[in-house]
PDB file of all heavy atoms in Angstrom:
ATOM      1  N   TYR E 201      42.354 -86.080  46.963  1.00 85.00           N
ATOM      2  CA  TYR E 201      43.583 -85.337  46.728  1.00 85.00           C
ATOM      3  C   TYR E 201      43.211 -83.859  46.852  1.00 85.00           C
ATOM      4  O   TYR E 201      42.621 -83.270  45.956  1.00 85.00           O
ATOM      5  CB  TYR E 201      44.148 -85.677  45.349  1.00 85.00           C
ATOM      6  CG  TYR E 201      45.291 -84.797  44.935  1.00 85.00           C
ATOM      7  CD1 TYR E 201      46.439 -84.713  45.709  1.00 85.00           C
ATOM      8  CD2 TYR E 201      45.218 -84.039  43.780  1.00 85.00           C
ATOM      9  CE1 TYR E 201      47.487 -83.893  45.340  1.00 85.00           C
ATOM     10  CE2 TYR E 201      46.267 -83.211  43.400  1.00 85.00           C
ATOM     11  CZ  TYR E 201      47.395 -83.158  44.186  1.00 85.00           C
ATOM     12  OH  TYR E 201      48.421 -82.335  43.815  1.00 85.00           O
ATOM     13  N   LEU E 202      43.527 -83.289  48.007  1.00 85.00           N
ATOM     14  CA  LEU E 202      42.978 -81.968  48.364  1.00 85.00           C
ATOM     15  C   LEU E 202      43.384 -80.841  47.424  1.00 85.00           C
ATOM     16  O   LEU E 202      42.565 -80.004  47.059  1.00 85.00           O
ATOM     17  CB  LEU E 202      43.393 -81.612  49.785  1.00 85.00           C
ATOM     18  CG  LEU E 202      42.255 -81.610  50.815  1.00 85.00           C
ATOM     19  CD1 LEU E 202      42.780 -81.146  52.141  1.00 85.00           C
ATOM     20  CD2 LEU E 202      41.086 -80.766  50.382  1.00 85.00           C
ATOM     21  N   ASN E 203      44.663 -80.821  47.010  1.00 84.00           N
ATOM     22  CA  ASN E 203      45.082 -79.746  46.114  1.00 84.00           C
ATOM     23  C   ASN E 203      44.254 -79.752  44.842  1.00 84.00           C
ATOM     24  O   ASN E 203      43.906 -78.693  44.310  1.00 84.00           O
ATOM     25  CB  ASN E 203      46.560 -79.899  45.745  1.00 84.00           C
ATOM     26  CG  ASN E 203      47.448 -79.247  46.771  1.00 84.00           C
ATOM     27  OD1 ASN E 203      46.968 -78.445  47.573  1.00 84.00           O
ATOM     28  ND2 ASN E 203      48.714 -79.582  46.761  1.00 84.00           N
ATOM     29  N   GLY E 204      43.942 -80.945  44.363  1.00 85.00           N
ATOM     30  CA  GLY E 204      43.103 -81.073  43.180  1.00 85.00           C
ATOM     31  C   GLY E 204      41.673 -80.644  43.477  1.00 85.00           C
ATOM     32  O   GLY E 204      41.034 -79.966  42.678  1.00 85.00           O
ATOM     33  N   ILE E 205      41.175 -81.030  44.656  1.00 88.00           N
ATOM     34  CA  ILE E 205      39.803 -80.677  45.026  1.00 88.00           C
ATOM     35  C   ILE E 205      39.643 -79.160  45.135  1.00 88.00           C
ATOM     36  O   ILE E 205      38.689 -78.588  44.621  1.00 88.00           O
ATOM     37  CB  ILE E 205      39.406 -81.375  46.348  1.00 88.00           C
ATOM     38  CG1 ILE E 205      39.300 -82.884  46.108  1.00 88.00           C
ATOM     39  CG2 ILE E 205      38.083 -80.826  46.886  1.00 88.00           C
ATOM     40  CD1 ILE E 205      38.948 -83.694  47.330  1.00 88.00           C
ATOM     41  N   TYR E 206      40.611 -78.501  45.773  1.00 89.00           N
ATOM     42  CA  TYR E 206      40.563 -77.036  45.872  1.00 89.00           C
ATOM     43  C   TYR E 206      40.485 -76.421  44.480  1.00 89.00           C
ATOM     44  O   TYR E 206      39.720 -75.488  44.226  1.00 89.00           O
ATOM     45  CB  TYR E 206      41.824 -76.494  46.554  1.00 89.00           C
ATOM     46  CG  TYR E 206      41.882 -76.677  48.054  1.00 89.00           C
ATOM     47  CD1 TYR E 206      43.061 -77.082  48.675  1.00 89.00           C
ATOM     48  CD2 TYR E 206      40.769 -76.421  48.854  1.00 89.00           C
ATOM     49  CE1 TYR E 206      43.131 -77.242  50.050  1.00 89.00           C
ATOM     50  CE2 TYR E 206      40.845 -76.576  50.220  1.00 89.00           C
ATOM     51  CZ  TYR E 206      42.018 -76.994  50.818  1.00 89.00           C
ATOM     52  OH  TYR E 206      42.086 -77.146  52.165  1.00 89.00           O
ATOM     53  N   ALA E 207      41.313 -76.933  43.566  1.00 87.00           N
ATOM     54  CA  ALA E 207      41.333 -76.375  42.217  1.00 87.00           C
ATOM     55  C   ALA E 207      40.025 -76.688  41.501  1.00 87.00           C
ATOM     56  O   ALA E 207      39.471 -75.857  40.780  1.00 87.00           O
ATOM     57  CB  ALA E 207      42.514 -76.940  41.430  1.00 87.00           C
ATOM     58  N   PHE E 208      39.499 -77.875  41.741  1.00 87.00           N
ATOM     59  CA  PHE E 208      38.299 -78.320  41.034  1.00 87.00           C
ATOM     60  C   PHE E 208      37.075 -77.492  41.406  1.00 87.00           C
ATOM     61  O   PHE E 208      36.264 -77.146  40.549  1.00 87.00           O
ATOM     62  CB  PHE E 208      38.043 -79.799  41.344  1.00 87.00           C
ATOM     63  CG  PHE E 208      36.946 -80.395  40.524  1.00 87.00           C
ATOM     64  CD1 PHE E 208      37.214 -80.927  39.270  1.00 87.00           C
ATOM     65  CD2 PHE E 208      35.637 -80.427  40.993  1.00 87.00           C
ATOM     66  CE1 PHE E 208      36.205 -81.474  38.495  1.00 87.00           C
ATOM     67  CE2 PHE E 208      34.613 -80.966  40.228  1.00 87.00           C
ATOM     68  CZ  PHE E 208      34.906 -81.489  38.979  1.00 87.00           C
ATOM     69  N   VAL E 209      36.913 -77.170  42.705  1.00 89.00           N
ATOM     70  CA  VAL E 209      35.699 -76.442  43.099  1.00 89.00           C
ATOM     71  C   VAL E 209      35.724 -74.993  42.603  1.00 89.00           C
ATOM     72  O   VAL E 209      34.684 -74.346  42.535  1.00 89.00           O
ATOM     73  CB  VAL E 209      35.443 -76.445  44.630  1.00 89.00           C
ATOM     74  CG1 VAL E 209      35.171 -77.847  45.126  1.00 89.00           C
ATOM     75  CG2 VAL E 209      36.588 -75.825  45.393  1.00 89.00           C
ATOM     76  N   GLY E 210      36.903 -74.503  42.235  1.00 87.00           N
ATOM     77  CA  GLY E 210      36.974 -73.145  41.684  1.00 87.00           C
ATOM     78  C   GLY E 210      36.957 -72.081  42.761  1.00 87.00           C
ATOM     79  O   GLY E 210      37.638 -72.226  43.769  1.00 87.00           O
ATOM     80  N   TYR E 211      36.162 -71.032  42.593  1.00 91.00           N
ATOM     81  CA  TYR E 211      36.116 -69.854  43.479  1.00 91.00           C
ATOM     82  C   TYR E 211      37.397 -69.015  43.318  1.00 91.00           C
ATOM     83  O   TYR E 211      38.417 -69.508  42.847  1.00 91.00           O
ATOM     84  CB  TYR E 211      35.911 -70.235  44.952  1.00 91.00           C
ATOM     85  CG  TYR E 211      34.574 -70.880  45.213  1.00 91.00           C
ATOM     86  CD1 TYR E 211      34.442 -72.267  45.240  1.00 91.00           C
ATOM     87  CD2 TYR E 211      33.432 -70.104  45.391  1.00 91.00           C
ATOM     88  CE1 TYR E 211      33.205 -72.862  45.450  1.00 91.00           C
ATOM     89  CE2 TYR E 211      32.200 -70.697  45.614  1.00 91.00           C
ATOM     90  CZ  TYR E 211      32.093 -72.072  45.634  1.00 91.00           C
ATOM     91  OH  TYR E 211      30.873 -72.650  45.842  1.00 91.00           O
ATOM     92  N   ASP E 212      37.299 -67.747  43.711  1.00 89.00           N
ATOM     93  CA  ASP E 212      38.449 -66.845  43.558  1.00 89.00           C
ATOM     94  C   ASP E 212      39.422 -67.041  44.700  1.00 89.00           C
ATOM     95  O   ASP E 212      39.072 -66.857  45.859  1.00 89.00           O
ATOM     96  CB  ASP E 212      37.982 -65.381  43.569  1.00 89.00           C
ATOM     97  CG  ASP E 212      37.192 -65.066  42.315  1.00 89.00           C
ATOM     98  OD1 ASP E 212      37.465 -65.720  41.285  1.00 89.00           O
ATOM     99  OD2 ASP E 212      36.304 -64.197  42.363  1.00 89.00           O
ATOM    100  N   THR E 213      40.618 -67.404  44.351  1.00 90.00           N
ATOM    101  CA  THR E 213      41.635 -67.632  45.368  1.00 90.00           C
ATOM    102  C   THR E 213      42.796 -66.672  45.182  1.00 90.00           C
ATOM    103  O   THR E 213      43.290 -66.515  44.078  1.00 90.00           O
ATOM    104  CB  THR E 213      42.163 -69.079  45.280  1.00 90.00           C
ATOM    105  OG1 THR E 213      41.082 -69.973  45.485  1.00 90.00           O
ATOM    106  CG2 THR E 213      43.245 -69.334  46.316  1.00 90.00           C
ATOM    107  N   LYS E 214      43.183 -66.029  46.266  1.00 91.00           N
ATOM    108  CA  LYS E 214      44.380 -65.187  46.198  1.00 91.00           C
ATOM    109  C   LYS E 214      45.545 -65.967  46.788  1.00 91.00           C
ATOM    110  O   LYS E 214      45.428 -66.580  47.847  1.00 91.00           O
ATOM    111  CB  LYS E 214      44.169 -63.893  46.987  1.00 91.00           C
ATOM    112  CG  LYS E 214      45.416 -63.020  46.958  1.00 91.00           C
ATOM    113  CD  LYS E 214      45.128 -61.610  47.366  1.00 91.00           C
ATOM    114  CE  LYS E 214      46.397 -60.779  47.269  1.00 91.00           C
ATOM    115  NZ  LYS E 214      46.148 -59.362  47.331  1.00 91.00           N
ATOM    116  N   TRP E 215      46.680 -65.939  46.083  1.00 90.00           N
ATOM    117  CA  TRP E 215      47.858 -66.684  46.550  1.00 90.00           C
ATOM    118  C   TRP E 215      48.837 -65.735  47.199  1.00 90.00           C
ATOM    119  O   TRP E 215      49.169 -64.707  46.632  1.00 90.00           O
ATOM    120  CB  TRP E 215      48.526 -67.395  45.379  1.00 90.00           C
ATOM    121  CG  TRP E 215      47.727 -68.565  44.927  1.00 90.00           C
ATOM    122  CD1 TRP E 215      46.753 -68.564  43.968  1.00 90.00           C
ATOM    123  CD2 TRP E 215      47.782 -69.901  45.442  1.00 90.00           C
ATOM    124  NE1 TRP E 215      46.208 -69.823  43.857  1.00 90.00           N
ATOM    125  CE2 TRP E 215      46.825 -70.664  44.745  1.00 90.00           C
ATOM    126  CE3 TRP E 215      48.565 -70.529  46.422  1.00 90.00           C
ATOM    127  CZ2 TRP E 215      46.624 -72.011  45.004  1.00 90.00           C
ATOM    128  CZ3 TRP E 215      48.362 -71.871  46.666  1.00 90.00           C
ATOM    129  CH2 TRP E 215      47.396 -72.609  45.965  1.00 90.00           C
ATOM    130  N   ILE E 216      49.279 -66.060  48.386  1.00 89.00           N
ATOM    131  CA  ILE E 216      50.372 -65.268  48.958  1.00 89.00           C
ATOM    132  C   ILE E 216      51.589 -66.161  49.192  1.00 89.00           C
ATOM    133  O   ILE E 216      51.467 -67.331  49.518  1.00 89.00           O
ATOM    134  CB  ILE E 216      49.968 -64.502  50.238  1.00 89.00           C
ATOM    135  CG1 ILE E 216      49.130 -65.363  51.171  1.00 89.00           C
ATOM    136  CG2 ILE E 216      49.187 -63.260  49.916  1.00 89.00           C
ATOM    137  CD1 ILE E 216      48.626 -64.591  52.367  1.00 89.00           C
ATOM    138  N   ASP E 217      52.750 -65.570  48.967  1.00 86.00           N
ATOM    139  CA  ASP E 217      54.003 -66.331  49.064  1.00 86.00           C
ATOM    140  C   ASP E 217      54.689 -66.075  50.391  1.00 86.00           C
ATOM    141  O   ASP E 217      54.597 -64.989  50.936  1.00 86.00           O
ATOM    142  CB  ASP E 217      54.984 -65.874  47.971  1.00 86.00           C
ATOM    143  CG  ASP E 217      54.434 -66.119  46.592  1.00 86.00           C
ATOM    144  OD1 ASP E 217      53.765 -67.142  46.415  1.00 86.00           O
ATOM    145  OD2 ASP E 217      54.650 -65.273  45.700  1.00 86.00           O
ATOM    146  N   PHE E 218      55.335 -67.084  50.909  1.00 81.00           N
ATOM    147  CA  PHE E 218      56.250 -66.822  52.024  1.00 81.00           C
ATOM    148  C   PHE E 218      57.461 -67.725  51.930  1.00 81.00           C
ATOM    149  O   PHE E 218      57.459 -68.726  51.222  1.00 81.00           O
ATOM    150  CB  PHE E 218      55.549 -66.925  53.386  1.00 81.00           C
ATOM    151  CG  PHE E 218      54.974 -68.277  53.696  1.00 81.00           C
ATOM    152  CD1 PHE E 218      55.762 -69.274  54.224  1.00 81.00           C
ATOM    153  CD2 PHE E 218      53.623 -68.525  53.487  1.00 81.00           C
ATOM    154  CE1 PHE E 218      55.232 -70.516  54.523  1.00 81.00           C
ATOM    155  CE2 PHE E 218      53.083 -69.772  53.783  1.00 81.00           C
ATOM    156  CZ  PHE E 218      53.895 -70.768  54.296  1.00 81.00           C
ATOM    157  N   GLU E 219      58.508 -67.362  52.630  1.00 78.00           N
ATOM    158  CA  GLU E 219      59.752 -68.132  52.637  1.00 78.00           C
ATOM    159  C   GLU E 219      59.501 -69.483  53.288  1.00 78.00           C
ATOM    160  O   GLU E 219      58.801 -69.571  54.298  1.00 78.00           O
ATOM    161  CB  GLU E 219      60.808 -67.394  53.482  1.00 78.00           C
ATOM    162  CG  GLU E 219      61.240 -66.065  52.937  1.00 78.00           C
ATOM    163  CD  GLU E 219      62.376 -66.201  51.936  1.00 78.00           C
ATOM    164  OE1 GLU E 219      63.204 -67.118  52.113  1.00 78.00           O
ATOM    165  OE2 GLU E 219      62.419 -65.396  50.988  1.00 78.00           O
ATOM    166  N   ASN E 220      60.110 -70.508  52.739  1.00 73.00           N
ATOM    167  CA  ASN E 220      59.964 -71.825  53.338  1.00 73.00           C
ATOM    168  C   ASN E 220      60.613 -71.865  54.723  1.00 73.00           C
ATOM    169  O   ASN E 220      61.713 -71.382  54.922  1.00 73.00           O
ATOM    170  CB  ASN E 220      60.605 -72.876  52.441  1.00 73.00           C
ATOM    171  CG  ASN E 220      60.266 -74.282  52.871  1.00 73.00           C
ATOM    172  OD1 ASN E 220      59.178 -74.513  53.385  1.00 73.00           O
ATOM    173  ND2 ASN E 220      61.168 -75.207  52.681  1.00 73.00           N
ATOM    174  N   GLN E 221      59.896 -72.404  55.687  1.00 74.00           N
ATOM    175  CA  GLN E 221      60.451 -72.532  57.037  1.00 74.00           C
ATOM    176  C   GLN E 221      60.667 -74.002  57.326  1.00 74.00           C
ATOM    177  O   GLN E 221      59.904 -74.828  56.872  1.00 74.00           O
ATOM    178  CB  GLN E 221      59.438 -72.039  58.085  1.00 74.00           C
ATOM    179  CG  GLN E 221      58.596 -70.897  57.660  1.00 74.00           C
ATOM    180  CD  GLN E 221      59.007 -69.640  58.355  1.00 74.00           C
ATOM    181  OE1 GLN E 221      59.569 -69.696  59.436  1.00 74.00           O
ATOM    182  NE2 GLN E 221      58.758 -68.509  57.739  1.00 74.00           N
ATOM    183  N   GLU E 222      61.670 -74.295  58.116  1.00 74.00           N
ATOM    184  CA  GLU E 222      61.843 -75.679  58.503  1.00 74.00           C
ATOM    185  C   GLU E 222      60.924 -75.990  59.665  1.00 74.00           C
ATOM    186  O   GLU E 222      60.546 -75.129  60.431  1.00 74.00           O
ATOM    187  CB  GLU E 222      63.308 -75.939  58.851  1.00 74.00           C
ATOM    188  CG  GLU E 222      64.148 -75.804  57.588  1.00 74.00           C
ATOM    189  CD  GLU E 222      65.519 -76.408  57.729  1.00 74.00           C
ATOM    190  OE1 GLU E 222      65.657 -77.399  58.465  1.00 74.00           O
ATOM    191  OE2 GLU E 222      66.446 -75.893  57.095  1.00 74.00           O
ATOM    192  N   ARG E 223      60.548 -77.228  59.761  1.00 75.00           N
ATOM    193  CA  ARG E 223      59.686 -77.741  60.811  1.00 75.00           C
ATOM    194  C   ARG E 223      60.291 -77.418  62.188  1.00 75.00           C
ATOM    195  O   ARG E 223      61.492 -77.550  62.383  1.00 75.00           O
ATOM    196  CB  ARG E 223      59.631 -79.231  60.546  1.00 75.00           C
ATOM    197  CG  ARG E 223      58.870 -80.069  61.431  1.00 75.00           C
ATOM    198  CD  ARG E 223      58.959 -81.489  60.876  1.00 75.00           C
ATOM    199  NE  ARG E 223      57.639 -81.918  60.444  1.00 75.00           N
ATOM    200  CZ  ARG E 223      56.660 -82.139  61.303  1.00 75.00           C
ATOM    201  NH1 ARG E 223      56.840 -81.971  62.571  1.00 75.00           N
ATOM    202  NH2 ARG E 223      55.475 -82.500  60.869  1.00 75.00           N
ATOM    203  N   ILE E 224      59.457 -77.004  63.147  1.00 73.00           N
ATOM    204  CA  ILE E 224      59.982 -76.555  64.432  1.00 73.00           C
ATOM    205  C   ILE E 224      60.556 -77.698  65.259  1.00 73.00           C
ATOM    206  O   ILE E 224      61.588 -77.559  65.918  1.00 73.00           O
ATOM    207  CB  ILE E 224      58.912 -75.769  65.222  1.00 73.00           C
ATOM    208  CG1 ILE E 224      59.424 -75.349  66.587  1.00 73.00           C
ATOM    209  CG2 ILE E 224      57.651 -76.551  65.417  1.00 73.00           C
ATOM    210  CD1 ILE E 224      59.019 -73.980  66.952  1.00 73.00           C
ATOM    211  N   ALA E 225      59.886 -78.843  65.222  1.00 73.00           N
ATOM    212  CA  ALA E 225      60.364 -80.006  65.964  1.00 73.00           C
ATOM    213  C   ALA E 225      59.775 -81.251  65.345  1.00 73.00           C
ATOM    214  O   ALA E 225      58.812 -81.173  64.590  1.00 73.00           O
ATOM    215  CB  ALA E 225      59.930 -79.907  67.431  1.00 73.00           C
ATOM    216  N   GLY E 226      60.339 -82.406  65.647  1.00 74.00           N
ATOM    217  CA  GLY E 226      59.828 -83.651  65.090  1.00 74.00           C
ATOM    218  C   GLY E 226      60.253 -83.827  63.643  1.00 74.00           C
ATOM    219  O   GLY E 226      60.994 -83.021  63.110  1.00 74.00           O
ATOM    220  N   LYS E 227      59.776 -84.915  63.045  1.00 79.00           N
ATOM    221  CA  LYS E 227      60.175 -85.233  61.665  1.00 79.00           C
ATOM    222  C   LYS E 227      59.006 -85.064  60.708  1.00 79.00           C
ATOM    223  O   LYS E 227      57.858 -85.140  61.117  1.00 79.00           O
ATOM    224  CB  LYS E 227      60.604 -86.708  61.580  1.00 79.00           C
ATOM    225  CG  LYS E 227      61.935 -87.026  62.183  1.00 79.00           C
ATOM    226  CD  LYS E 227      62.512 -88.301  61.555  1.00 79.00           C
ATOM    227  CE  LYS E 227      61.652 -89.526  61.775  1.00 79.00           C
ATOM    228  NZ  LYS E 227      61.922 -90.296  62.956  1.00 79.00           N
ATOM    229  N   SER E 228      59.314 -84.864  59.407  1.00 79.00           N
ATOM    230  CA  SER E 228      58.260 -84.847  58.402  1.00 79.00           C
ATOM    231  C   SER E 228      57.654 -86.243  58.316  1.00 79.00           C
ATOM    232  O   SER E 228      58.354 -87.239  58.425  1.00 79.00           O
ATOM    233  CB  SER E 228      58.813 -84.457  57.043  1.00 79.00           C
ATOM    234  OG  SER E 228      57.819 -84.660  56.069  1.00 79.00           O
ATOM    235  N   LYS E 229      56.335 -86.298  58.152  1.00 76.00           N
ATOM    236  CA  LYS E 229      55.664 -87.592  58.113  1.00 76.00           C
ATOM    237  C   LYS E 229      55.637 -88.160  56.700  1.00 76.00           C
ATOM    238  O   LYS E 229      55.115 -89.219  56.455  1.00 76.00           O
ATOM    239  CB  LYS E 229      54.226 -87.463  58.631  1.00 76.00           C
ATOM    240  CG  LYS E 229      54.085 -86.718  59.956  1.00 76.00           C
ATOM    241  CD  LYS E 229      54.802 -87.431  61.082  1.00 76.00           C
ATOM    242  CE  LYS E 229      54.764 -86.696  62.398  1.00 76.00           C
ATOM    243  NZ  LYS E 229      55.362 -85.392  62.436  1.00 76.00           N
ATOM    244  N   PHE E 230      56.167 -87.385  55.757  1.00 77.00           N
ATOM    245  CA  PHE E 230      56.112 -87.832  54.376  1.00 77.00           C
ATOM    246  C   PHE E 230      57.492 -88.208  53.858  1.00 77.00           C
ATOM    247  O   PHE E 230      58.311 -87.361  53.563  1.00 77.00           O
ATOM    248  CB  PHE E 230      55.481 -86.757  53.484  1.00 77.00           C
ATOM    249  CG  PHE E 230      54.025 -86.559  53.799  1.00 77.00           C
ATOM    250  CD1 PHE E 230      53.618 -85.629  54.728  1.00 77.00           C
ATOM    251  CD2 PHE E 230      53.072 -87.343  53.174  1.00 77.00           C
ATOM    252  CE1 PHE E 230      52.279 -85.467  55.036  1.00 77.00           C
ATOM    253  CE2 PHE E 230      51.739 -87.192  53.467  1.00 77.00           C
ATOM    254  CZ  PHE E 230      51.340 -86.251  54.401  1.00 77.00           C
ATOM    255  N   SER E 231      57.740 -89.499  53.758  1.00 78.00           N
ATOM    256  CA  SER E 231      59.004 -89.976  53.213  1.00 78.00           C
ATOM    257  C   SER E 231      58.959 -89.802  51.704  1.00 78.00           C
ATOM    258  O   SER E 231      57.914 -89.518  51.124  1.00 78.00           O
ATOM    259  CB  SER E 231      59.173 -91.451  53.541  1.00 78.00           C
ATOM    260  OG  SER E 231      58.139 -92.176  52.924  1.00 78.00           O
ATOM    261  N   PHE E 232      60.099 -90.015  51.065  1.00 78.00           N
ATOM    262  CA  PHE E 232      60.169 -89.873  49.613  1.00 78.00           C
ATOM    263  C   PHE E 232      59.197 -90.847  48.955  1.00 78.00           C
ATOM    264  O   PHE E 232      58.452 -90.499  48.049  1.00 78.00           O
ATOM    265  CB  PHE E 232      61.597 -90.136  49.146  1.00 78.00           C
ATOM    266  CG  PHE E 232      61.806 -89.814  47.701  1.00 78.00           C
ATOM    267  CD1 PHE E 232      61.816 -88.501  47.276  1.00 78.00           C
ATOM    268  CD2 PHE E 232      61.961 -90.824  46.769  1.00 78.00           C
ATOM    269  CE1 PHE E 232      61.985 -88.196  45.939  1.00 78.00           C
ATOM    270  CE2 PHE E 232      62.135 -90.525  45.434  1.00 78.00           C
ATOM    271  CZ  PHE E 232      62.148 -89.208  45.016  1.00 78.00           C
ATOM    272  N   PHE E 233      59.176 -92.071  49.468  1.00 80.00           N
ATOM    273  CA  PHE E 233      58.308 -93.099  48.894  1.00 80.00           C
ATOM    274  C   PHE E 233      56.831 -92.716  49.031  1.00 80.00           C
ATOM    275  O   PHE E 233      56.040 -92.843  48.105  1.00 80.00           O
ATOM    276  CB  PHE E 233      58.577 -94.438  49.592  1.00 80.00           C
ATOM    277  CG  PHE E 233      57.723 -95.551  49.071  1.00 80.00           C
ATOM    278  CD1 PHE E 233      57.957 -96.089  47.810  1.00 80.00           C
ATOM    279  CD2 PHE E 233      56.667 -96.044  49.823  1.00 80.00           C
ATOM    280  CE1 PHE E 233      57.156 -97.100  47.316  1.00 80.00           C
ATOM    281  CE2 PHE E 233      55.854 -97.054  49.338  1.00 80.00           C
ATOM    282  CZ  PHE E 233      56.105 -97.590  48.076  1.00 80.00           C
TER     283      PHE E 233
END
Side-chain angles (χ1 to χ4, degrees):
Y201 171 58
L202 250 184
N203 274 344
I205 292 179
Y206 284 138
F208 188 87
V209 295
Y211 295 96
D212 291 332
T213 300
K214 179 163 182 166
W215 287 91
I216 43 185
D217 298 323
F218 61 84
E219 295 273 327
N220 191 32
Q221 325 253 335
E222 293 196 32
R223 179 178 246 292
I224 177 139
K227 286 204 299 270
S228 171
K229 311 298 177 299
F230 293 91
S231 62
F232 189 71
F233 180 72

